[in-house]
Every structure is written in structure tokens, then in C-alpha cells.
Amino acid sequence: MQLLQRFTYWFPLWTILAAIIGLIHPPALSWVKGPMISIGLAVIMLGMGLTLSLADFRRALSRPALILLGALLQFTIMPAAGYILSRCLPLEPAMVVGLALVAAAPGGTASNVVTFLARGNLSLSVCMTALSTLLAVLLTPFWTYVLAGDYMPVDRLQLMLDTIKVIVAPVVLGLLLRRYFPRFTRLLLPVAPPLAVIAIAMIVGAVLAARRDVILDAGWMVVLSVFLLHSTGFGIGYLASRLLANETEARTISIEVGMQNSGLAVDLARNNFPGVAADLPGAISAMTHCLIGSLLAAFWNWRSRRLQPSMATAALKPD
């Protein structure tokens, strides 16, 4: 059990290793393609559904202001940053579409792990991920059309249907399994996070392996745009939420805003924009936000440990 948890907490390392393998030796991961990527994403979303319960949604209803603040920042900061970057940087149309899909995606399950590592509010993170995932059914197609409609035809209805298929069905299945088959769910829960980590890493490595030539030609500009997108989400997400929330809550919202469901962006790009490299920004995004989020989590964790002794000393001092 402890070994599985440690494996999950090191998910940024596995994602980066898969990316390196995909770029250095594409055949090692190029066999992961077609329906296998959709199945991998379904495994990720099913794992998220298994971790949710009606109690999580009741907690969300008990503190609606923070949950709504996180969703508001998620679907305003990231699309706005995506719009500005796509207009300021010399990106090809397919890259603009891919960047738009990343910017318009909901929070990803990886944000829950990073929130735990950063000593954030885990229940708040889970509730925000759940809400943004539900809102994504409407808002992801909408923002993709707004951000990328000038560059490529965007079928909003088909995008919405694909989002429902990829997100809602696996999550609902996970919820139902937890509700009606608790013993079976208890058997799945320990292995669900590691399987999700493996699925994320393999999707990232496979897309980078398939798009290796594109990356070598113009990848640095795509990497820069994705890095700036996520950095903006983390930074502004923290600063904006810190005005209304405490430190722990601000960390949580920052991570939730900065970390997108990149696997969803990859799958939607493959299914709705075939024949172009629109899935590349999503793959780069998965590696980038994991790296930034992990570094922030390490910093915040170190800062919390450093402050605790001084707080304890101050509490012992006489008035």
C-alpha cells in the first residue's frame, strides 16, 4: 500500500521520463495510439470517480463561495492567458487549437495529488476538480470555439458530446461503483491512482513520440507558450484567491487553476482535429504543469515546515 502511494507521489518523475523516452526512442511508446489513448483517459477519469462521494458534493455546497471562486478563476484566467499567448506568439493554427483546448480544459486529477503534497485543502481540491469537470461539458467547447474558431473550424456540438463521453460516463461509473459496490471499490482504490499515473505518463510519451519531428522543428515555441500558460494560471490563481481566502486555500486554488486535464485536451484534439498536431500542446502541458506544480508543492511544503517551529515557539512565550 505504502509503495503504491510513493509511486503515485512521484508522478511528475514518471511523466518526465515517459516524455524523454518518447522523444529519444519513439518506438518504445508509439504503439500507444488510437483507442488506447481514449481508454487511458477513461481509466484516469474512472479513478477520479472512485475517489468522489456524495459527501464531497455536500462539502462543496457547505462552502460554495470558495468552490465557485476556483471555478471562476479556472475558466477565466486560463482562457484569457491562452487568448493573449495565441495572439502574441507565432504559433501555427494547429498549435493554437491545441493551446486553446488546454486553456479551456477543467482541472485535472493530478491537482489533487499536488495539493496533498503542498499541504493544501484536499477536500476543497477534490470539490473544485469535480465542479470544473462538470462545467467543462459546456465551457470547454465554448472557450475552444472562442479561442481557436478563427484558426480552424470548431464543431462545438461534437466537442461537447466527446467531452460528455470522455468525462461524465467514467466519473459517473466511478461514483456508482463507490455507492453500490463499496467492497469492490475498496479493492480498486489502492491501484486506481497508480494506474492513472501510468496512463498519464504513457499518453504524454506516446503523443510526443508521434509528434517528435514537429517538436524538433518548432517545439520550443510551443513549449514556451504552454509554460507561460500554466505559470500564469498558478501565479494569478494564487494572487487573486489570496485576497479572499487563507494561505492553505489560496495554494489549493492556485494548483487547481494552474493544472489542467491535459489528457482530455489530447483526446479531444485527436478526435476533433485529426491529421494535425493539435494534440501536441496537451502532451507538453501534462509534463509542464506536473513539473511546475511539484516544484511549488516542494516550496510550500518546505515553507510550512519552516514556519511551524517558529509558530510553536511564539505560542510558548508569555503574554
Side-chain angles (χ1 to χ4, degrees):
M1 185 76 69
Q2 192 174 13
L3 183 62
L4 293 176
Q5 290 178 341
R6 288 181 179 178
F7 178 86
T8 302
Y9 295 154
W10 282 96
F11 78 94
L13 175 62
W14 313 134
T15 304
I16 293 170
L17 283 176
I20 293 173
I21 292 171
L23 291 173
I24 294 178
H25 187 59
L29 288 169
S30 58
W31 55 272
V32 181
K33 56 186 177 181
M36 295 186 67
I37 292 181
S38 297
I39 293 171
L41 183 59
V43 169
I44 296 168
M45 301 311 299
L46 176 63
M48 176 181 167
L50 290 172
T51 63
L52 296 175
S53 67
L54 294 178
D56 294 321
F57 293 99
R58 282 196 291 268
R59 278 196 296 269
L61 292 174
S62 69
R63 303 189 69 188
L66 280 178
I67 308 298
L68 291 175
L69 174 64
L72 176 65
L73 295 177
Q74 176 90 55
F75 287 110
T76 54
I77 292 174
M78 297 301 279
Y83 178 86
I84 293 170
L85 290 170
S86 65
R87 267 61 182 179
C88 294
L89 297 177
L91 298 173
E92 296 180 3
M95 298 301 105
V96 173
V97 172
L99 189 68
L101 284 167
V102 172
T109 54
S111 64
N112 306 144
V113 179
V114 173
T115 295
F116 176 81
L117 297 177
R119 299 194 177 190
N121 187 326
L122 186 57
S123 62
L124 175 62
S125 174
V126 171
C127 290
M128 284 194 298
T129 303
L131 179 59
S132 68
T133 298
L134 295 175
L135 292 175
V137 173
L138 295 175
L139 293 181
T140 296
F142 169 76
W143 279 121
T144 303
Y145 175 78
V146 171
L147 299 177
D150 292 340
Y151 294 84
M152 246 180 223
V154 178
D155 188 338
R156 283 172 289 178
L157 178 59
Q158 185 60 46
L159 202 57
M160 184 177 71
L161 293 175
D162 282 345
T163 307
I164 292 173
K165 178 182 68 176
V166 171
I167 287 182
V168 177
V171 171
V172 170
L173 176 60
L175 282 167
L176 292 175
L177 285 174
R178 178 165 179 159
R179 176 68 178 84
Y180 294 105
F181 302 94
R183 291 183 180 178
F184 181 62
T185 301
R186 282 195 291 270
L187 292 175
L188 291 180
L189 274 175
V191 299
L195 286 177
V197 168
I198 293 171
I200 292 172
M202 293 188 71
I203 289 172
V204 171
V207 173
L208 294 181
R211 305 298 185 189
R212 182 175 182 272
D213 293 339
V214 178
I215 296 173
L216 294 179
D217 289 340
W220 69 272
M221 186 58 68
V222 183
V223 173
L224 176 63
S225 66
V226 172
F227 174 80
L228 292 175
L229 176 68
H230 287 295
S231 298
T232 301
F234 281 110
I236 299 182
Y238 177 83
L239 295 174
S241 58
R242 193 65 182 90
L243 298 174
L244 302 171
N246 62 36
E247 172 68 19
T248 300
E249 294 162 345
R251 292 180 186 180
T252 305
I253 294 174
S254 168
I255 292 168
E256 193 66 27
V257 174
M259 299 189 73
Q260 304 293 87
N261 190 334
S262 304
L264 174 64
V266 168
D267 196 68
L268 292 178
R270 287 180 53 258
N271 292 335
N272 291 271
F273 306 97
V276 296
D279 55 353
L280 181 59
I284 295 174
S285 165
M287 179 177 62
T288 304
H289 75 205
C290 284
L291 184 59
I292 298 174
S294 299
L295 291 174
L296 277 176
F299 170 74
W300 279 328
N301 205 331
W302 168 81
R303 188 181 178 190
S304 296
R305 291 198 308 269
R306 187 183 178 192
L307 290 176
Q308 280 176 350
S310 61
M311 292 171 63
T313 303
L316 292 173
K317 288 182 179 180
D319 295 333

